């Protein structure tokens, strides 16, 4: 409970600092939302009236206080361009991005855990060298390039899966799953290659520990001994990497959504940047930042649950 309270307090402080940094960074960017909406030929009075309507003529401290107070109540403000409430737009897109991130992490874990364990157990065999080489090559491939290659193979050449687009789960579950296969694979395979290296390193470290040698000396075979005594100890460092990778997947989904034309947070962020709709950009960025902070806190708490040495301190 003490660890939970400390991590929650750190999360709140980090979120406040992050909100200030995000607001300050976007406030110093060149450009005026009023000029974007009205155009460069607008008159001075028209620009002043629109700035007053947006609230951008007030001191930055007052603007930040109003924005932060709205965030506490779930109010992200109103878009400069479309004049729609930002909160519902972010909420709709957040669900799409979460499905994509969770699917990508599921692919990464399903690929990396067996591949990493086998690469460690067979590290003196040719098969282990092949698995290590494949994972090393996968690290060098960016997610967007993997997505383009997957589209060419499975959508253009084979015609088995759609090349892009998105169908809500409530409308057609089968179409929803088919549209997410390639994006999740493009995210998951690249992250799975990274995770495989960490799993292999953690399992290799465990294989040389005395407790595993003792289990083998008492008559246990290699795989039962590794499953019963090795993997629980190897899971502790791997969990830390999983938390970091989930944060990476959330940010990496921004590019993948653009490749596959998926209406998620990434698509909304890039479109808002192009439209100079900075209030929407602020909202999307702070949501991503808070999501990363929450993932890190949950990972830290799970780390304490898995490792009894930390609970005894």
């Amino acid at each position: 409970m003490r660890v939970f309270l400390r991590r929650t307090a750190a999360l709140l402080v980090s979120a406040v600092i992050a909100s200030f940094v995000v607001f300050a960074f976007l406030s110093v960017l060149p450009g005026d939302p009023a000029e974007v909406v009205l155009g460069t030929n607008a008159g001075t009075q028209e620009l002043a009236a629109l700035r007053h309507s947006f609230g951008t003529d007030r001191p930055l401290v007052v603007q930040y206080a109003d924005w932060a107070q709205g965030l506490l109540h779930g109010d992200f403000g109103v878009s400069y361009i479309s004049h729609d409430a930002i909160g519902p737009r972010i909420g709709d897109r957040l669900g799409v991005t979460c499905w994509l991130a969770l699917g990508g992490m599921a692919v990464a874990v399903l690929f990396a855990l067996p591949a990493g364990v086998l690469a460690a157990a067979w590290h003196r065999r040719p098969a282990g060298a092949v698995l290590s080489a494949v994972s090393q090559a996968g690290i060098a491939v960016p997610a967007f390039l993997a997505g383009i290659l997957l589209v060419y193979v499975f959508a253009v050449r084979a015609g088995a899966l759609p090349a892009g687009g998105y169908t809500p789960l409530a409308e057609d579950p089968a179409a929803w799953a088919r549209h997410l296969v390639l994006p999740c694979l493009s995210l998951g395979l690249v992250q799975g290659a990274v995770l495989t290296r960490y799993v292999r390193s953690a399992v290799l470290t465990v294989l040389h520990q005395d407790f595993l040698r003792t289990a083998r000396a008492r008559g246990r075979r290699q795989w039962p001994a590794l499953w019963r005594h090795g993997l629980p100890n190897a899971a502790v460092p791997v969990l830390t990497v999983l938390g970091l990778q989930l944060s990476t997947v959330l940010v990496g989904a921004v590019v993948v959504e653009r490749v596959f034309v998926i209406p998620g947070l990434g698509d909304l962020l890039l479109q808002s940047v192009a439209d100079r709709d900075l209030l929407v950009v602020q909202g999307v960025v702070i949501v991503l930042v808070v999501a990363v902070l929450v993932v890190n806190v949950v990972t830290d708490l799970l780390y304490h649950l898995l490792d009894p040495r930390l609970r005894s301190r």
Side-chain angles (χ1 to χ4, degrees):
M1 181 57 68
R2 286 195 300 268
V3 172
F4 173 76
L5 293 176
R6 286 199 301 267
R7 296 300 181 270
T8 303
L11 169 65
L12 295 177
V13 173
S14 300
V16 172
I17 296 174
S19 67
F20 178 77
V21 171
V22 169
F23 179 85
F25 179 75
L26 292 176
S27 297
V28 300
L29 291 179
D32 184 359
E35 291 183 356
V36 173
V37 174
L38 296 178
T40 56
N41 296 325
T44 305
Q45 294 182 349
E46 295 175 340
L47 290 173
L50 191 58
R51 291 190 188 104
H52 181 73
S53 175
F54 289 161
T56 55
D57 58 344
R58 299 175 298 170
L60 291 178
V61 175
V62 177
Q63 295 183 45
Y64 171 75
D66 287 348
W67 179 64
Q69 184 178 5
L71 292 180
L72 295 177
H73 299 88
D75 182 10
F76 289 80
V78 178
S79 169
Y80 294 144
I81 304 300
S82 65
H83 306 292
D84 296 329
I86 298 174
R89 293 176 63 186
I90 292 179
D92 294 339
R93 303 295 187 96
L94 180 61
V96 179
T97 300
C98 286
W99 282 121
L100 178 58
L102 291 176
M105 284 305 301
V107 171
V109 171
L110 291 175
F111 170 78
L113 289 184
V117 172
L118 291 175
W122 296 342
H123 65 282
R124 289 191 177 94
R125 302 181 186 178
V130 170
L131 287 172
S132 297
V134 170
S135 65
Q136 193 67 39
I139 294 174
V141 179
F144 74 90
L145 180 58
I148 294 173
L149 294 176
L150 289 171
V151 167
Y152 177 75
V153 174
F154 293 100
V156 177
R157 302 293 296 178
L161 293 169
Y166 181 79
T167 301
L169 176 61
E171 291 184 9
D172 190 344
W176 169 81
R178 293 182 70 249
H179 280 91
L180 283 181
V181 169
L182 293 183
C184 290
L185 284 176
S186 64
L187 270 177
L189 291 178
V190 175
Q191 294 301 321
V194 177
L195 185 59
T196 299
R197 306 294 299 176
Y198 286 100
V199 173
R200 179 184 181 274
S201 176
V203 175
L204 271 177
T205 301
V206 169
L207 286 175
H208 294 90
Q209 297 294 322
D210 291 338
F211 64 84
L212 199 59
R213 292 197 192 98
T214 303
R216 295 294 306 278
R218 295 182 62 184
R220 280 187 176 268
R221 298 182 177 224
Q222 179 186 11
W223 291 108
L226 183 60
W227 177 264
R228 175 66 180 83
H229 303 286
L231 294 185
N233 288 276
V236 176
V238 172
L239 178 63
T240 304
V241 179
L242 273 176
L244 295 175
Q245 282 197 301
L246 182 54
S247 303
T248 304
V249 166
L250 283 172
V251 178
V254 171
V255 179
V256 173
E257 287 173 0
R258 201 65 170 177
V259 172
F260 290 96
V261 199
I262 296 177
L265 281 181
D267 180 72
L268 178 61
L269 176 63
L270 295 178
Q271 186 61 47
S272 301
V273 170
D275 295 338
R276 303 288 301 171
D277 201 348
L278 298 183
L279 201 56
V280 178
V281 175
Q282 281 182 191
V284 174
V285 171
I286 197 63
V287 166
L288 291 174
V289 168
V290 171
V292 171
L293 292 174
V294 170
V295 168
N296 290 337
V297 170
V298 172
T299 302
D300 199 9
L301 294 175
L302 292 176
Y303 197 87
H304 280 78
L305 291 176
L306 283 177
D307 195 342
R309 296 170 297 182
L310 296 177
R311 296 199 301 270
S312 63
R313 292 177 182 175

